[in-house]
Structures are given as structure tokens and as C-alpha cells.
Amino acid sequence: MKVMVIGSGGREHVISWALAKSSKVKEVICVPGNGGTGVEEKCRNIVPSLCEYLKDVKEEDSYCEIAKHEGCDLVVVGPEDPLALGVSDTLWKNNIPVVGPKKEAANLEASKDFAKEFMVQYGVACAESKTFTDALEAKDYIKEKGAPIVVKADGLAAGKGVVVAATIEDAIKAVDDFMVSKNLGNAGTKIVIEEYLQGTEISILSAVSVSPDTIQNGTACILPFVPARDHKRLLDGAKGPNTGGMGAIAPLDDVNKKQLDEFQKNILEPTLKGLIDRKMDYRGFIFFGIMLTSKGPKLLEYNVRLGDPETQAVLPLMDFDFSDLCKSIIDGTLNTFEPKWKKGYVCAPVVVSGGYPLKYKRGVPISLPKDTKNEVKIFIAGASVDRRGQYNGLITSGGRVLAVSAFGSSAKKAREAAYDVVSQVSFDGAFYRKDIGLPGAAESGQL
Ligand code: AMP
Ligand code: GLY
């Protein structure tokens, strides 16, 4: 089987690596891929802007053209943007199977208002909220409810669309930033104002197989993976500014069976009911962003994809063929798929460019340890192969440069193995958190 993976981040390096490990996969085409996928066995990067045959093709159609040109049997979409553009709809129309929901279902991430309306209709446990298109009304509501309170831009905003406001003034400023100054463009024309939830955050990535066929024959399902935790703040102890994620660990020792049962009953099952009721075509992955509150788990958000960097911690725990999982999502047999997970933990700290998440340099040469043990894998994100040949190897091309995923029989051993390798990664300005996976490092509402 020949598979195409869309995306260029660390998550896509993991997905490509997991697919390439399968004996059933002949080749993985990474579009556009990164400096890690470019050298991964059986993987090949294709950069659309360098393809002559895509010269007059729109971005959302280019993936389909590449899949046809290359004769791909399956496409796996990594990030949310192509899904929100309807890339899956186009691929299915051309009879190319794709792991990734169609455009309508992608709204569960692309529009916070759509997602909240869905959660409320199907009784998914979540924060109380109200949607506004008028700034004055939004401000009156904030004054009535008081702080802390959460202000969310409706549209996709690359992680910049949520303000957890400690004071009424901060919340009002967020309304002005989103609706009046329009600092997120159209993403902030509509906003959702939400009750502040206190607790500990976890991420549950899951596979979804909801399609006309599985709905009809009663096999539609959502299969949750082991729980994971991202660490979004820049500094140790969950301090400093928000980032795209400074590291992840999975599974989690601080989540008990009662909480997982409540998640299943109050979040996963009503979500599945809603997808079926609305006849959504959702064959892909869903990521439940959850706050474990004193009143049980509550859903903060849906993402219609795998999480980054959670994927770097969860997928290396697979004791099954990832291509089989993708196939079961597509052919409607996910309900009988029995995932086996390795007994142990993966800790995956992220190494970032100095200055991230604000200004940082690109094009900085990276030195990686030559040999790493079997249980350690370096997943590249913001780094590319130096095309000008100035340096012999990888150079930085983004803020989050790479993650070191290490397996251990205990969380402590996984952490030690990961940090042993992290300390051998070197580039000018390299920075990382030293507490990924430690109990005190968990986020607990970002006030
Ligand atoms: P979201 O994109 O909705 O997950 O929000 C991004 C981050 O903001 C989450 O990971 C939480 O840390 C925080 N957050 C979002 N909603 C709430 C809430 N209702 N209460 C407390 N923190 C929240
Ligand atoms: N780790 C958070 C995300 O992928 O959105």
C-alpha cells in the first residue's frame, strides 16, 4: 500500500514513521513533510510548490492531484487546516480513501460556536457558555458573570484564540482585541464566552469511524487511546506564556477508572450519538481536550485530528500496526479493532528555538546525537534539510524544532531516557522544559 500523509509538523513525522514501520506499507509520501520525514526509511517528501503539474491548482485540490499522480491508496491528514478546507471531501469524491473528517464535521474544531452548540444539543459535559456577535452584549454578559471567565474566538486561530481572563478588565480587553481590533481577522467576528473551569487537563486522542455504512449497520464507533498530557506553558511548573506544546507524556497515572468511565459516558458516548444523529461523515481521529474538575471530566474542546505533541507520546506506545488501524477506520471495522498498548510510558519533551513563542531565528544548524537506543526516537518538527548545502544536515525552520520520545517501564525511566537524549541535542538558542511528565507540571486552568 502507498500512503500519503499531509502536514509538516512533529505529529506528521510520527504518523509517517508509524505507517512506514508496517510491512503492508510500501511507501509514504509526505506532503510537504519536514527534515525528519525526508530521511525516514520508506518516506519521501513532496513539496507542492516545487511540482510543475500543480502550477495552476488551488491548495485544497493539490493534495488530491498528488495522490492521483503518485497512485496513493490512502491519505492521512495531520493538521486541521486542510480538513476545514474540505480536502477529505475532494479526496472521497475522487475515490481516494482518507483518514480525516469531511468539512462539515471539521467544524467541530473550526468553529467554537458550532462545537458548543453540538455539545449542548447532545448533552456532552462541558462549561456553560454563550455566543456573541455584538461586542457590547458580550461585555455586559462578562460584567454579569464576573471573573475568572474565558473568552474564545470562534474560528481557527492557531492557538491564539483563547483568553483565560483573571479579571473583568482582561476579559473585556479580549473582546476588544477579537471583535473591535480584529487581531485574529475573521476568526474573532463571533466569540464564545465560557465559564472558567478549574482542574487538571488531559488529552484523549481517539479513532472515529462514522460513515453512511457504519451508521446504517450499527458499527459506528469512537475508540479512545491511552490518556495523554500536553504541557502548553513555556516554563517549568506550568508558568510563562502559552505555546503550541512543550512536551507530552502518556499514559497518565493521575487519571482513575471512575474519571475514564465518566469520560466515556458523559463525553464520548454523547459525541458519538451526535455524529450519528447528524449523519456526519467522520472517518479519522478526534482529540478530546478535557478538564478533570471536581464535578467530573468536562470537555474544553474537540480537535478533529491527533494532538501535537501528544501523538509523539501516544503512538510510540502502540503494539499494533498503525496502517491496520487506519484501514479499520475506513472499512468500518474499527468496532472490532483491539488496540494493544505497550506496558510502560513515553515521555516526549520538545526542544524549541530560543525566543519562541515570540521571535526566533531560523536556519540554525542542529547537532543530534549519533546513536540513540531502540526505545528512543527523535521526531522532527520545525527543522529542514539545509538545501543550500551550507551545513551538512538539519537546520531549524520553526519554533518547535523536535521532540525526543523515550519509552520506559516507569514514567521516571521514560523521563530519564528522554532527557538523556535531549541534553545531547544542541543548536544555538535551544531551550526545553525540564519537568515534562512530572506530576507538578500539569496544567490546571491557565489563570
Ligand atoms: P481550547 O482551545 O478551547 O482548548 O483552549 C485552550 C486552552 O485554554 C485549554 O487547553 C485550557 O488550558 C484553557 N481553557 C479553555 N477553556 C477553558 C475553560 N472553560 N476554563 C479554563 N481553562 C480553559
Ligand atoms: N496539543 C494540543 C493540540 O494539538 O492542539
Side-chain angles (χ1 to χ4, degrees):
M1 166 160 73
K2 192 166 175 178
V3 191
M4 177 168 127
V5 175
I6 298 178
S8 63
R11 166 186 48 213
E12 288 75 32
H13 186 183
V14 188
I15 293 172
S16 305
W17 162 84
L19 287 165
K21 274 203 311 183
S22 166
S23 58
K24 293 163 194 155
V25 174
K26 268 205 313 247
E27 193 179 18
V28 183
I29 305 292
C30 310
V31 186
N34 62 32
T37 58
V39 294
E40 198 65 58
E41 215 179 310
K42 293 204 272 182
C43 297
R44 176 159 57 95
N45 288 354
I46 292 187
V47 179
S49 60
L50 303 178
C51 293
E52 188 60 28
Y53 64 91
L54 295 175
K55 228 174 52 197
D56 301 315
V57 180
K58 282 191 290 195
E59 187 199 337
E60 57 267 42
D61 296 332
S62 62
Y63 301 110
C64 188
E65 287 310 308
I66 298 172
K68 283 198 272 184
H69 192 85
E70 291 288 337
C72 295
D73 307 290
L74 177 71
V75 176
V76 181
V77 187
E80 62 277 19
D81 292 322
L83 295 167
L85 283 174
V87 160
S88 296
D89 305 58
T90 312
L91 286 159
W92 278 116
K93 251 185 237 151
N94 285 273
N95 297 317
I96 301 168
V98 50
V99 176
K102 286 192 179 166
K103 190 173 177 165
E104 188 203 358
N107 268 324
L108 288 171
E109 178 168 357
S111 164
K112 300 261 185 218
D113 176 44
F114 179 88
K116 289 299 300 208
E117 187 257 322
F118 180 93
M119 292 177 209
V120 171
Q121 179 175 353
Y122 297 104
V124 176
C126 63
E128 186 196 318
S129 73
K130 204 166 170 189
T131 297
F132 294 91
T133 49
D134 182 279
L136 288 177
E137 285 175 21
K139 291 178 191 176
D140 284 345
Y141 182 76
I142 288 168
K143 286 178 202 151
E144 180 197 321
K145 290 285 171 184
I149 197 157
V150 183
V151 182
K152 300 186 173 185
D154 176 58
L156 289 177
K160 297 191 177 69
V162 176
V163 173
V164 181
T167 63
I168 291 181
E169 291 70 35
D170 287 351
I172 287 178
K173 182 178 178 308
V175 172
D176 280 333
D177 287 346
F178 292 159
M179 301 184 91
V180 182
S181 314
K182 293 204 168 293
N183 63 356
L184 297 175
N186 284 338
T189 313
K190 204 192 262 185
I191 61 169
V192 174
I193 298 183
E194 193 170 281
E195 165 198 8
Y196 170 71
L197 295 177
Q198 208 163 12
T200 315
E201 282 183 59
I202 64 166
S203 308
I204 301 190
L205 318 182
S206 316
V208 188
S209 186
V210 177
S211 67
D213 283 350
T214 58
I215 292 174
Q216 202 191 355
N217 57 32
T219 57
C221 68
I222 301 179
L223 176 70
F225 302 166
V226 292
R229 171 165 295 130
D230 184 7
H231 301 69
K232 290 197 180 110
R233 306 279 284 255
L234 181 70
L235 306 173
D236 284 6
K239 304 226 159 45
N242 246 324
T243 71
M246 295 296 291
I249 185 152
L252 302 174
D253 285 335
D254 58 345
V255 182
N256 59 39
K257 182 165 180 315
K258 180 169 176 274
Q259 288 165 321
L260 288 176
D261 288 347
E262 284 172 344
F263 157 73
Q264 180 85 22
K265 183 163 162 279
N266 302 330
I267 296 176
L268 187 150
E269 283 169 16
T271 299
L272 178 60
K273 195 169 143 239
L275 296 178
I276 295 171
D277 185 58
R278 295 209 185 170
K279 296 188 175 52
M280 286 191 186
D281 194 341
Y282 197 137
R283 284 168 275 186
F285 298 108
I286 195 162
F287 159 157
F288 299 94
I290 291 160
M291 188 72 90
L292 299 176
T293 75
S294 57
K295 293 186 188 140
K298 302 228 174 156
L299 185 67
L300 293 176
E301 62 166 346
Y302 293 115
N303 291 314
V304 296
R305 52 176 171 81
L306 293 173
D308 192 337
E310 289 91 333
T311 304
Q312 285 85 320
V314 173
L315 262 51
L317 285 167
M318 289 181 317
D319 216 353
F320 55 87
D321 184 323
F322 187 65
S323 78
D324 286 342
L325 176 73
C326 293
K327 197 167 163 287
S328 77
I329 290 171
I330 297 298
D331 68 17
T333 56
L334 183 67
N335 63 323
T336 59
F337 191 90
E338 286 181 16
K340 287 204 181 65
W341 301 99
K342 287 184 189 159
K343 288 202 169 52
Y345 298 77
V346 171
C347 179
V350 170
V351 184
V352 302
S353 300
Y356 172 80
L358 301 172
K359 262 195 168 162
Y360 52 84
K361 276 198 273 183
R362 290 185 166 83
V364 179
I366 304 168
S367 157
L368 299 178
K370 287 229 158 33
D371 294 309
T372 52
K373 294 186 188 133
N374 267 347
E375 61 270 27
V376 178
K377 173 78 189 165
I378 298 177
F379 290 113
I380 301 297
S384 54
V385 175
D386 183 23
R387 282 212 201 91
R388 288 169 304 172
Q390 200 176 345
Y391 306 108
N392 184 18
L394 286 176
I395 51 170
T396 63
S397 60
R400 290 191 300 158
V401 175
L402 56 85
V404 175
S405 295
F407 176 84
S409 54
S410 67
K412 184 168 178 278
K413 285 189 176 146
R415 265 199 316 273
E416 283 168 359
Y419 279 108
D420 178 43
V421 174
V422 165
S423 67
Q424 299 171 57
V425 170
S426 95
F427 58 89
D428 188 24
F431 176 79
Y432 56 89
R433 259 177 81 160
K434 296 180 184 59
D435 62 348
I436 299 303
L438 284 175
E443 244 108 52
S444 50
Q446 309 204 354
L447 267 186

